[in-house]
Amino acid sequence: MGYTMHSDLKLAVPIEYPEEQRPSHVQKLERPQPLVKASRLAFLRFGKPDLDQCRNFWSDFGLRVVESTPMRLCMGTADGSPVAIVATKSAKPRFLGAAFEVDADVDWQDLLRRTAGRALGSDELPGGGSGIECIDPEGFAVWLIAPQARVDVKPVREAVPANGNTFHHANRINATVRTPIEPATVGRLGHYVLQTPRFAEMAQWYMSHLGLIPSDVQYLPDGSPLLAFFRLDKGGTPVDHHTVVIASGLKADYEHSAYEVADLDALGQGQQVMRAAGHEHFWGIGRHVLGSQLFDYWSDHDKHQFEHYTDGDVFTADRPTHYVPFAPGSIWAWGDDAPREIFPQKSLGMLWRAIQLVRRRVYSLDKLKAMAAATDQPARPWL
Ligand SMILES: [Fe+2]
């Protein structure tokens, strides 16, 4: 169900409906009037017990060390933004939240009042600056900050496909491809994904506090939304297909974050470096469906996942929201099967959590059954 079948091989691709052509039972994800529009995902914040391990993992992953003290580690990308990840020393690993830049001419006092936020001290912000902290319905912090000063960094190399040979065009003549075996230099922070049992509340909160646009909404057979990919609203300026993803789950949690690299060869050579250094590979290389990225996922020592990606879709604000029936096969177009860990694992703990969510009326039993049925579908029935 929810697939277009190809010939008698039963190969299938998911169906995608532009908003105005969605089936009548599919609920529209209404957009609230935003308090402010975010212009850039600046950095992510984690609490981490072992900052040395983090520094090793993220260095091999292709990030650069910006600041390293016993209590705080800041890692940066190559796009000139001053910082992409901030890890502070903590007893347990946990995701703390994200920082987004907003336009400098925003009325900060008014925004502080309307968001019921807290003014950030300049010592809290890596590199200084100003901003406010808001807390989302699950307790994750979202920092709205003034644009940060750019820094000079080593550029990312040109992509191999820029002069690649294809069936139709021989662009590279008397020249070879010799990409270096080196960490996949991370150009920039792209997106992050949160799970939540309160999808509707979280989706509304993130749209209203960041001005996000839903790019794709995936729904259950009853037409209710299960997860949504959100992009920034920068009018006619193209932006990533998704910067924030909100996904229904049994607990509030960080799912993964993603970092753009030069090209497919950077994914592959970066994978060799990560494997050689003994890091835990999670999933890839493959191509996503919604967002279209070529991807490769890694787990750090705290089981936090980090994705290298390249060749993602970019949309302007006028591209309509699409609605897509949820199925595991709609997550990726090709590549190895996704590890089962990307979906909730059946266990006594999961059952207990599910019972609590039904008791607290966060989920109905029917909704939980529909979610379980959707994630239990085989992703690639033809394999
Ligand atoms: Fe991703």
Side-chain angles (χ1 to χ4, degrees):
M1 197 170 84
Y3 285 89
T4 302
M5 302 304 285
H6 280 276
S7 76
D8 54 357
L9 290 176
K10 297 181 181 168
L11 304 177
V13 293
I15 297 169
E16 304 173 35
Y17 302 101
E19 187 160 274
E20 295 309 317
Q21 294 163 31
R22 71 192 191 282
S24 58
H25 74 292
V26 174
Q27 295 167 26
K28 182 180 173 183
L29 194 59
E30 298 289 351
R31 290 177 66 193
Q33 188 66 31
L35 299 169
V36 70
K37 289 182 181 177
S39 56
R40 191 174 77 88
L41 172 59
F43 55 85
L44 303 179
R45 298 168 50 242
F46 294 85
K48 289 285 199 179
D50 190 329
L51 298 184
D52 290 337
Q53 278 187 323
C54 289
R55 192 177 59 236
N56 291 340
F57 176 85
W58 285 328
S59 296
D60 292 337
F61 187 77
L63 293 158
R64 63 192 173 85
V65 178
V66 173
E67 176 191 309
S68 184
T69 71
M71 297 308 291
R72 190 165 85 168
L73 172 67
C74 297
M75 305 295 295
T77 52
D79 65 342
S81 53
V83 64
I85 296 180
V86 181
T88 45
K89 181 99 174 160
S90 71
K92 288 188 175 174
R94 66 192 185 107
F95 177 69
L96 300 173
F100 293 83
E101 288 180 355
V102 299
D103 287 342
D105 58 2
V106 70
D107 182 337
W108 287 99
Q109 283 307 318
D110 181 55
L111 192 59
L112 193 61
R113 183 179 52 76
R114 289 190 297 142
T115 57
R118 169 183 78 85
L120 292 166
S122 61
D123 57 332
E124 292 180 87
L125 268 167
S130 62
I132 64 177
E133 177 183 76
C134 312
I135 305 297
D136 79 15
E138 293 289 15
F140 296 116
V142 169
W143 288 3
L144 304 174
I145 64 172
Q148 297 193 296
R150 313 297 280 178
V151 297
D152 290 332
V153 287
K154 183 182 157 208
V156 177
R157 67 166 171 75
E158 279 297 328
V160 169
N163 71 343
N165 290 338
T166 68
F167 176 73
H168 290 291
H169 302 286
N171 299 309
R172 195 184 64 251
I173 298 165
N174 296 335
T176 59
V177 175
R178 301 287 184 270
T179 51
I181 304 178
E182 62 184 10
T185 305
V186 170
R188 67 190 175 93
L189 166 61
H191 63 260
Y192 71 109
V193 181
L194 294 177
Q195 286 181 39
T196 171
R198 299 178 181 80
F199 171 85
E201 208 179 333
M202 286 283 277
Q204 288 300 310
W205 193 93
Y206 275 82
M207 284 190 283
S208 71
H209 284 73
L210 299 170
L212 302 178
I213 301 171
S215 294
D216 283 298
V217 179
Q218 294 205 267
Y219 59 88
L220 291 171
D222 69 357
S224 64
L226 185 71
L227 69 103
F229 296 81
F230 294 100
R231 68 185 184 276
L232 302 177
D233 181 357
K234 294 181 74 170
T237 303
V239 298
D240 291 344
H241 169 273
H242 54 277
T243 295
V244 178
V245 181
I246 306 288
S248 299
L250 296 184
K251 61 179 179 176
D253 209 352
Y254 163 89
E255 211 278 330
H256 75 267
S257 52
Y259 303 80
E260 187 175 21
V261 301
D263 58 13
L264 180 58
D265 281 81
L267 286 188
Q269 297 288 32
Q271 186 183 99
Q272 295 203 78
V273 172
M274 292 292 278
R275 284 191 189 279
H279 299 300
E280 186 184 340
H281 189 241
F282 186 68
W283 183 28
I285 294 174
R287 190 182 281 278
H288 280 304
V289 176
L290 304 176
S292 306
Q293 303 95 335
L294 293 163
F295 63 80
D296 197 30
Y297 286 70
W298 297 87
S299 280
D300 75 3
H301 42 279
D302 297 318
K303 302 293 181 191
H304 283 149
Q305 269 115 40
F306 296 84
E307 172 190 4
H308 280 146
Y309 78 89
T310 185
D311 195 21
D313 296 333
V314 292
F315 294 165
T316 57
D318 53 9
R319 200 257 190 185
T321 300
H322 281 46
Y323 289 76
V324 183
F326 177 81
S330 65
I331 298 172
W332 76 107
W334 54 259
D336 286 346
D337 273 7
R340 283 303 301 170
E341 294 93 312
I342 70 165
F343 300 117
Q345 298 298 290
K346 293 187 175 68
S347 65
L348 276 179
M350 176 184 153
L351 182 63
W352 175 248
R353 196 172 295 133
I355 291 169
Q356 296 302 313
L357 290 169
V358 172
R359 269 194 186 158
R360 284 161 35 208
R361 298 179 193 278
V362 176
Y363 284 127
S364 69
L365 196 54
D366 284 347
K367 177 97 178 180
L368 277 183
K369 282 182 183 169
M371 287 168 61
T375 55
D376 276 349
Q377 294 174 68
R380 296 289 183 275
W382 54 90
L383 293 180

